[in-house]
Amino acid sequence: MARTWAMLGAVLALGSPLAAAAQAPPDVFARQTLAVTDRVHLIYKPAVTDPPFEGNVVVIEQSAGLVVVDAGGSPVSGRDVVDEIRKFSRKPVRWLIYTHYHGDHNLGAGAFRQAWPKLRIVSTAATRTNMTGPAMDYVRTYAKSYGDMAAFAATQARDEHLPQALRDGWARTAAAGPGMVAGYTDMSVYPADQTFTDRFSIPDHAAPVEVMFLGRGNTDGDAVVWAPKQRVVASGDLVVAPIPYAAHTYPGEWIATLKRLEGLDFAYLVPGHGPVETDRAYVDKVITALDNVRAQVGPLARADVLLDEVRKRIDLKPMRHDFAGDDPWLGFLFGAVFAGDLVSNAYKEARGETVIQGRG
Ligand SMILES: [Zn+2]
Protein backbone atom coordinates (compact mmCIF):
# COMPACT_ATOMS: atom_id res chain seq x y z
CA MET A 1 0.00 0.00 0.00
CA ALA A 2 2.68 2.48 0.99
CA ARG A 3 4.68 1.62 -2.11
CA THR A 4 1.65 2.10 -4.37
CA TRP A 5 0.96 5.45 -2.74
CA ALA A 6 4.55 6.60 -3.26
CA MET A 7 4.48 5.56 -6.94
CA LEU A 8 1.20 7.35 -7.44
CA GLY A 9 2.75 10.46 -5.93
CA ALA A 10 5.69 10.21 -8.32
CA VAL A 11 3.39 9.89 -11.34
CA LEU A 12 1.32 12.89 -10.24
CA ALA A 13 4.43 15.00 -9.66
CA LEU A 14 5.76 14.23 -13.15
CA GLY A 15 2.55 15.32 -14.81
CA SER A 16 2.03 18.39 -12.69
CA PRO A 17 3.14 21.99 -13.27
CA LEU A 18 4.28 21.88 -9.64
CA ALA A 19 6.83 19.18 -10.46
CA ALA A 20 9.84 21.52 -10.29
CA ALA A 21 8.77 23.01 -6.98
CA ALA A 22 8.03 19.56 -5.59
CA GLN A 23 11.62 18.48 -6.32
CA ALA A 24 13.19 21.24 -4.26
CA PRO A 25 13.47 19.98 -0.68
CA PRO A 26 11.45 21.95 1.86
CA ASP A 27 13.25 24.50 4.04
CA VAL A 28 13.68 22.44 7.19
CA PHE A 29 15.58 25.32 8.82
CA ALA A 30 12.67 27.82 8.81
CA ARG A 31 12.51 30.04 11.88
CA GLN A 32 10.14 32.16 13.91
CA THR A 33 10.74 35.24 16.03
CA LEU A 34 9.68 35.93 19.60
CA ALA A 35 10.09 39.27 21.40
CA VAL A 36 11.72 38.53 24.77
CA THR A 37 11.76 42.22 25.78
CA ASP A 38 11.32 45.42 23.77
CA ARG A 39 14.98 45.29 22.72
CA VAL A 40 15.70 41.56 22.70
CA HIS A 41 14.37 39.05 20.18
CA LEU A 42 14.76 35.30 19.99
CA ILE A 43 14.84 33.73 16.51
CA TYR A 44 14.27 30.01 16.91
CA LYS A 45 13.52 26.88 14.95
CA PRO A 46 10.26 25.33 16.16
CA ALA A 47 10.22 21.59 16.94
CA VAL A 48 13.46 21.93 18.87
CA THR A 49 13.82 18.18 19.50
CA ASP A 50 13.58 17.20 15.82
CA PRO A 51 16.50 17.44 13.37
CA PRO A 52 17.93 19.68 12.16
CA PHE A 53 19.05 20.74 15.62
CA GLU A 54 19.51 24.48 15.23
CA GLY A 55 20.97 26.87 17.78
CA ASN A 56 18.86 29.76 19.02
CA VAL A 57 19.72 33.22 17.69
CA VAL A 58 19.33 36.23 20.00
CA VAL A 59 19.16 39.79 18.67
CA ILE A 60 19.87 42.72 21.00
CA GLU A 61 18.89 46.13 19.67
CA GLN A 62 21.34 48.88 20.59
CA SER A 63 20.91 52.55 19.66
CA ALA A 64 22.90 52.46 16.43
CA GLY A 65 22.80 48.81 15.47
CA LEU A 66 22.19 45.22 16.42
CA VAL A 67 24.23 42.71 18.39
CA VAL A 68 23.41 39.15 17.32
CA VAL A 69 24.26 36.00 19.24
CA ASP A 70 24.90 33.06 16.87
CA ALA A 71 24.03 32.79 13.20
CA GLY A 72 22.10 29.61 12.41
CA GLY A 73 23.56 26.27 11.43
CA SER A 74 23.68 26.26 7.62
CA PRO A 75 23.75 28.74 4.72
CA VAL A 76 19.96 28.32 4.32
CA SER A 77 19.45 28.81 8.02
CA GLY A 78 21.60 31.96 8.00
CA ARG A 79 19.50 33.45 5.20
CA ASP A 80 16.32 32.59 7.11
CA VAL A 81 17.69 34.34 10.21
CA VAL A 82 18.67 37.44 8.21
CA ASP A 83 15.14 37.55 6.75
CA GLU A 84 13.63 37.30 10.23
CA ILE A 85 15.84 40.14 11.54
CA ARG A 86 14.77 42.40 8.67
CA LYS A 87 11.13 41.84 9.56
CA PHE A 88 11.52 43.70 12.86
CA SER A 89 14.53 46.02 12.46
CA ARG A 90 16.14 48.20 9.80
CA LYS A 91 19.25 48.69 11.89
CA PRO A 92 22.43 47.00 10.68
CA VAL A 93 24.00 44.09 12.51
CA ARG A 94 27.26 45.52 13.85
CA TRP A 95 28.39 42.61 16.00
CA LEU A 96 27.93 38.87 15.58
CA ILE A 97 28.98 36.86 18.62
CA TYR A 98 29.56 33.12 18.56
CA THR A 99 28.73 31.29 21.78
CA HIS A 100 30.96 28.36 20.71
CA TYR A 101 32.33 26.56 17.67
CA HIS A 102 29.66 23.90 17.05
CA GLY A 103 28.34 24.44 13.54
CA ASP A 104 24.65 24.61 14.45
CA HIS A 105 25.49 28.06 15.88
CA ASN A 106 27.68 29.61 13.20
CA LEU A 107 27.53 27.96 9.76
CA GLY A 108 24.91 30.52 8.71
CA ALA A 109 27.36 33.42 9.16
CA GLY A 110 27.97 33.83 5.42
CA ALA A 111 24.50 35.33 5.01
CA PHE A 112 25.36 37.88 7.72
CA ARG A 113 28.61 38.84 5.99
CA GLN A 114 26.71 39.31 2.74
CA ALA A 115 23.90 41.35 4.31
CA TRP A 116 26.10 43.53 6.56
CA PRO A 117 29.67 43.56 5.16
CA LYS A 118 30.95 45.84 7.94
CA LEU A 119 29.93 43.57 10.82
CA ARG A 120 32.56 42.24 13.19
CA ILE A 121 32.47 38.63 14.38
CA VAL A 122 33.60 38.03 17.97
CA SER A 123 34.32 34.82 19.87
CA THR A 124 36.57 33.57 22.62
CA ALA A 125 40.11 32.82 21.51
CA ALA A 126 39.47 29.11 22.21
CA THR A 127 36.43 29.12 19.91
CA ARG A 128 38.48 30.71 17.14
CA THR A 129 41.19 28.09 17.61
CA ASN A 130 38.56 25.34 17.30
CA MET A 131 37.02 26.97 14.22
CA THR A 132 40.36 27.15 12.44
CA GLY A 133 41.53 23.66 13.44
CA PRO A 134 40.60 19.98 13.24
CA ALA A 135 37.56 20.38 15.53
CA MET A 136 35.72 21.84 12.52
CA ASP A 137 36.78 19.15 10.01
CA TYR A 138 33.44 17.40 10.35
CA VAL A 139 31.80 20.17 8.35
CA ARG A 140 33.21 18.70 5.12
CA THR A 141 31.29 15.45 5.62
CA TYR A 142 28.25 16.96 7.32
CA ALA A 143 25.90 16.50 4.34
CA LYS A 144 26.90 12.86 3.92
CA SER A 145 26.56 12.20 7.66
CA TYR A 146 23.03 13.56 7.64
CA GLY A 147 22.20 11.62 4.47
CA ASP A 148 23.35 8.43 6.22
CA MET A 149 21.41 9.41 9.33
CA ALA A 150 18.22 10.00 7.35
CA ALA A 151 18.59 6.62 5.64
CA PHE A 152 19.03 4.95 9.03
CA ALA A 153 16.06 6.93 10.36
CA ALA A 154 13.89 5.60 7.54
CA THR A 155 14.68 1.99 8.53
CA GLN A 156 13.95 2.75 12.19
CA ALA A 157 10.66 4.40 11.27
CA ARG A 158 9.59 1.12 9.64
CA ASP A 159 10.63 -1.08 12.59
CA GLU A 160 7.42 -2.47 14.03
CA HIS A 161 9.18 -3.57 17.21
CA LEU A 162 9.76 0.04 18.27
CA PRO A 163 7.20 2.14 20.19
CA GLN A 164 5.06 4.23 17.86
CA ALA A 165 6.25 7.57 19.30
CA LEU A 166 9.85 6.56 18.65
CA ARG A 167 9.03 5.50 15.09
CA ASP A 168 7.31 8.86 14.62
CA GLY A 169 10.48 10.66 15.73
CA TRP A 170 12.54 8.65 13.25
CA ALA A 171 9.97 9.34 10.54
CA ARG A 172 10.27 13.11 11.16
CA THR A 173 14.05 12.75 10.97
CA ALA A 174 13.84 10.82 7.70
CA ALA A 175 11.45 13.40 6.26
CA ALA A 176 13.89 16.22 7.09
CA GLY A 177 16.76 14.30 5.42
CA PRO A 178 16.68 15.79 1.90
CA GLY A 179 16.36 19.33 3.28
CA MET A 180 19.29 18.77 5.64
CA VAL A 181 21.51 17.24 2.96
CA ALA A 182 20.76 20.16 0.62
CA GLY A 183 21.25 22.69 3.43
CA TYR A 184 24.55 21.24 4.63
CA THR A 185 26.16 21.22 1.18
CA ASP A 186 28.91 23.72 0.22
CA MET A 187 29.42 25.14 3.67
CA SER A 188 32.11 27.60 4.71
CA VAL A 189 33.43 28.35 8.18
CA TYR A 190 33.68 32.00 9.23
CA PRO A 191 36.05 32.30 12.20
CA ALA A 192 35.85 35.41 14.39
CA ASP A 193 37.50 38.69 13.32
CA GLN A 194 38.46 39.42 16.90
CA THR A 195 38.69 37.41 20.08
CA PHE A 196 38.68 37.83 23.84
CA THR A 197 39.60 35.66 26.80
CA ASP A 198 37.57 36.94 29.78
CA ARG A 199 35.27 39.77 28.81
CA PHE A 200 34.28 41.89 25.82
CA SER A 201 32.06 44.97 26.28
CA ILE A 202 29.81 46.58 23.67
CA PRO A 203 28.67 49.81 25.35
CA ASP A 204 25.35 51.50 24.63
CA HIS A 205 23.11 53.69 26.77
CA ALA A 206 19.96 51.71 26.00
CA ALA A 207 21.22 48.14 25.77
CA PRO A 208 24.82 47.60 26.82
CA VAL A 209 26.16 44.10 26.16
CA GLU A 210 28.76 42.18 28.11
CA VAL A 211 30.21 39.08 26.48
CA MET A 212 31.83 36.86 29.09
CA PHE A 213 33.77 33.66 29.48
CA LEU A 214 32.59 32.17 32.78
CA GLY A 215 34.66 28.99 32.59
CA ARG A 216 34.73 25.80 30.58
CA GLY A 217 31.58 23.71 30.31
CA ASN A 218 29.93 22.78 27.04
CA THR A 219 33.27 23.39 25.26
CA ASP A 220 36.62 24.91 26.21
CA GLY A 221 35.53 28.39 25.11
CA ASP A 222 31.84 29.13 25.73
CA ALA A 223 30.79 32.77 25.59
CA VAL A 224 27.82 33.97 27.62
CA VAL A 225 26.10 37.15 26.43
CA TRP A 226 24.56 39.39 29.07
CA ALA A 227 22.28 42.38 28.51
CA PRO A 228 22.13 43.81 32.07
CA LYS A 229 19.52 46.53 31.42
CA GLN A 230 17.14 44.03 29.83
CA ARG A 231 18.23 41.34 32.32
CA VAL A 232 18.55 38.80 29.50
CA VAL A 233 21.35 36.26 29.30
CA ALA A 234 22.09 34.05 26.30
CA SER A 235 23.87 30.96 27.60
CA GLY A 236 24.81 29.14 24.41
CA ASP A 237 24.86 25.37 24.86
CA LEU A 238 25.89 25.58 28.51
CA VAL A 239 22.10 25.24 28.79
CA VAL A 240 20.13 23.19 26.25
CA ALA A 241 16.51 22.20 26.88
CA PRO A 242 14.61 19.96 27.23
CA ILE A 243 17.56 17.53 26.96
CA PRO A 244 21.07 18.87 27.73
CA TYR A 245 23.92 18.39 25.27
CA ALA A 246 27.13 16.83 26.57
CA ALA A 247 29.36 15.94 23.60
CA HIS A 248 32.54 17.90 24.40
CA THR A 249 31.85 18.83 28.01
CA TYR A 250 33.97 19.13 31.15
CA PRO A 251 31.44 17.95 33.75
CA GLY A 252 33.02 19.35 36.93
CA GLU A 253 33.89 22.72 35.41
CA TRP A 254 30.48 22.81 33.72
CA ILE A 255 28.83 22.77 37.16
CA ALA A 256 31.00 25.67 38.37
CA THR A 257 30.26 27.64 35.19
CA LEU A 258 26.51 27.05 35.51
CA LYS A 259 26.65 28.33 39.10
CA ARG A 260 28.37 31.51 37.90
CA LEU A 261 25.67 31.84 35.24
CA GLU A 262 23.02 31.52 37.94
CA GLY A 263 24.77 34.35 39.79
CA LEU A 264 23.71 36.82 37.09
CA ASP A 265 20.56 38.73 37.99
CA PHE A 266 18.66 37.59 34.92
CA ALA A 267 14.91 37.72 34.31
CA TYR A 268 15.23 35.72 31.07
CA LEU A 269 17.69 33.00 30.19
CA VAL A 270 17.81 32.09 26.51
CA PRO A 271 19.38 28.64 26.21
CA GLY A 272 21.40 27.47 23.21
CA HIS A 273 18.40 25.38 22.17
CA GLY A 274 14.91 25.39 23.64
CA PRO A 275 12.48 27.93 25.05
CA VAL A 276 13.23 31.01 27.17
CA GLU A 277 13.52 30.31 30.88
CA THR A 278 12.39 32.79 33.53
CA ASP A 279 13.86 31.11 36.60
CA ARG A 280 16.75 28.87 37.66
CA ALA A 281 14.80 25.61 37.95
CA TYR A 282 16.09 23.99 34.76
CA VAL A 283 19.71 25.04 35.34
CA ASP A 284 19.43 23.58 38.86
CA LYS A 285 18.12 20.36 37.34
CA VAL A 286 21.10 20.15 34.99
CA ILE A 287 23.54 20.81 37.86
CA THR A 288 21.88 18.05 39.91
CA ALA A 289 22.19 15.64 36.97
CA LEU A 290 25.88 16.46 36.47
CA ASP A 291 26.56 15.99 40.18
CA ASN A 292 24.71 12.67 40.09
CA VAL A 293 26.65 11.29 37.12
CA ARG A 294 30.01 12.40 38.53
CA ALA A 295 29.15 10.79 41.88
CA GLN A 296 28.24 7.49 40.23
CA VAL A 297 31.01 7.36 37.62
CA GLY A 298 33.93 8.87 39.56
CA PRO A 299 34.59 6.09 42.12
CA LEU A 300 34.27 3.35 39.49
CA ALA A 301 36.56 5.17 37.05
CA ARG A 302 39.18 5.71 39.74
CA ALA A 303 38.95 2.00 40.64
CA ASP A 304 39.92 1.16 37.03
CA VAL A 305 36.53 -0.30 36.12
CA LEU A 306 36.32 -0.25 32.32
CA LEU A 307 33.99 2.33 30.77
CA ASP A 308 31.62 -0.23 29.25
CA GLU A 309 31.29 -1.90 32.64
CA VAL A 310 30.70 1.47 34.31
CA ARG A 311 27.81 2.08 31.93
CA LYS A 312 26.23 -1.19 33.07
CA ARG A 313 26.68 -0.54 36.77
CA ILE A 314 25.32 3.00 37.04
CA ASP A 315 21.61 3.79 37.12
CA LEU A 316 20.41 6.76 35.08
CA LYS A 317 16.78 5.67 34.73
CA PRO A 318 15.32 8.16 37.26
CA MET A 319 17.31 10.96 35.60
CA ARG A 320 16.15 9.88 32.18
CA HIS A 321 12.57 10.08 33.41
CA ASP A 322 13.22 13.51 34.94
CA PHE A 323 14.25 14.87 31.55
CA ALA A 324 12.27 12.77 29.07
CA GLY A 325 9.18 11.72 31.01
CA ASP A 326 7.53 8.81 29.21
CA ASP A 327 8.32 10.15 25.73
CA PRO A 328 10.38 7.48 23.91
CA TRP A 329 11.85 9.97 21.40
CA LEU A 330 13.07 12.28 24.18
CA GLY A 331 14.28 9.18 26.02
CA PHE A 332 16.31 8.25 22.95
CA LEU A 333 17.76 11.78 22.75
CA PHE A 334 18.61 11.66 26.47
CA GLY A 335 20.94 8.75 25.78
CA ALA A 336 22.18 9.95 22.39
CA VAL A 337 23.08 13.58 23.11
CA PHE A 338 23.45 13.70 26.90
CA ALA A 339 23.96 10.60 29.03
CA GLY A 340 26.27 8.64 26.73
CA ASP A 341 28.78 11.46 26.30
CA LEU A 342 28.41 12.75 29.83
CA VAL A 343 29.35 9.36 31.28
CA SER A 344 32.45 9.06 29.10
CA ASN A 345 33.50 12.65 29.83
CA ALA A 346 32.96 12.18 33.60
CA TYR A 347 35.01 8.98 33.30
CA LYS A 348 37.85 10.85 31.60
CA GLU A 349 37.67 13.64 34.13
CA ALA A 350 37.90 11.22 37.06
CA ARG A 351 40.94 9.57 35.50
CA GLY A 352 42.66 12.85 34.64
CA GLU A 353 42.29 12.28 30.89
CA THR A 354 41.61 15.07 28.41
CA VAL A 355 38.35 15.80 26.62
CA ILE A 356 39.39 16.81 23.10
CA GLN A 357 37.20 19.32 21.27
CA GLY A 358 35.74 17.83 18.10
CA ARG A 359 36.24 14.31 19.46
CA GLY A 360 35.13 14.17 23.10
ZN1 LIG B 1 23.97 23.66 19.68
Side-chain angles (χ1 to χ4, degrees):
M1 176 63 196
R3 186 177 158 78
T4 315
W5 182 249
M7 288 170 69
L8 179 64
V11 170
L12 288 175
L14 278 175
S16 151
L18 293 173
Q23 282 165 10
D27 181 359
V28 295
F29 298 92
R31 287 184 176 242
Q32 294 178 9
T33 298
L34 173 80
V36 180
T37 74
D38 59 343
R39 285 185 178 267
V40 181
H41 287 78
L42 165 63
I43 304 177
Y44 65 101
K45 197 213 88 170
V48 66
T49 53
D50 289 339
F53 300 117
E54 279 280 300
N56 282 332
V57 171
V58 180
V59 182
I60 302 163
E61 185 192 342
Q62 294 192 318
S63 308
L66 307 176
V67 177
V68 177
V69 184
D70 288 339
S74 72
V76 182
S77 176
R79 289 194 288 276
D80 288 345
V81 171
V82 168
D83 288 347
E84 286 295 311
I85 291 172
R86 284 182 162 151
K87 285 181 192 170
F88 64 83
S89 181
R90 292 181 165 192
K91 292 181 181 176
V93 175
R94 297 177 65 200
W95 298 97
L96 173 59
I97 298 155
Y98 294 153
T99 55
H100 62 295
Y101 72 92
H102 293 156
D104 54 319
H105 298 260
N106 56 60
L107 291 168
F112 280 73
R113 277 245 183 274
Q114 207 165 19
W116 300 286
K118 290 184 189 160
L119 75 79
R120 301 282 293 167
I121 302 178
V122 179
S123 77
T124 61
T127 289
R128 193 178 196 288
T129 298
N130 289 323
M131 289 183 72
T132 51
M136 215 73 189
D137 283 353
Y138 75 95
V139 167
R140 278 186 243 128
T141 53
Y142 217 26
K144 183 181 179 325
S145 308
Y146 271 88
D148 293 347
M149 199 256 264
F152 173 71
T155 65
Q156 296 295 97
R158 287 193 296 269
D159 187 339
E160 290 171 7
H161 299 100
L162 298 177
Q164 188 59 47
L166 188 54
R167 292 175 65 186
D168 292 346
W170 285 118
R172 293 193 298 274
T173 303
M180 288 194 288
V181 171
Y184 292 140
T185 303
D186 294 331
M187 293 202 292
S188 299
V189 177
Y190 299 87
D193 303 309
Q194 63 192 84
T195 64
F196 71 99
T197 48
D198 293 321
R199 201 176 180 103
F200 180 79
S201 300
I202 310 175
D204 183 65
H205 71 271
V209 171
E210 296 292 327
V211 190
M212 297 178 286
F213 175 69
L214 298 180
R216 303 200 301 182
N218 162 58
T219 69
D220 59 358
D222 304 296
V224 165
V225 182
W226 172 228
K229 280 206 173 171
Q230 285 67 36
R231 297 179 64 212
V232 179
V233 65
S235 68
D237 284 2
L238 287 165
V239 184
V240 171
I243 309 291
Y245 184 73
H248 307 113
T249 48
Y250 304 87
E253 291 166 85
W254 191 4
I255 292 170
T257 303
L258 287 175
K259 287 181 177 170
R260 283 183 211 113
L261 180 68
E262 285 190 324
L264 295 171
D265 182 29
F266 65 81
Y268 306 95
L269 185 155
V270 185
H273 303 247
V276 177
E277 288 156 26
T278 53
D279 59 31
R280 286 156 179 77
Y282 183 77
V283 179
D284 284 342
K285 181 168 142 176
V286 175
I287 290 172
T288 301
L290 300 180
D291 274 333
N292 179 325
V293 168
R294 292 180 78 230
Q296 291 196 63
V297 171
L300 297 171
R302 284 187 287 271
D304 293 330
V305 177
L306 294 175
L307 178 58
D308 284 346
E309 182 62 24
V310 171
R311 291 189 195 282
K312 287 178 202 154
R313 289 202 208 168
I314 62 176
D315 179 12
L316 301 182
K317 280 194 212 76
M319 187 189 301
R320 176 185 153 122
H321 193 266
D322 273 355
F323 282 96
D326 295 319
D327 184 318
W329 178 248
L330 293 185
F332 160 73
L333 290 179
F334 173 83
V337 306
F338 183 51
D341 292 326
L342 180 60
V343 169
S344 56
N345 291 342
Y347 186 87
K348 283 182 182 166
E349 179 183 81
R351 294 174 64 82
E353 295 166 9
T354 311
V355 171
I356 297 171
Q357 294 305 312
R359 278 195 271 157

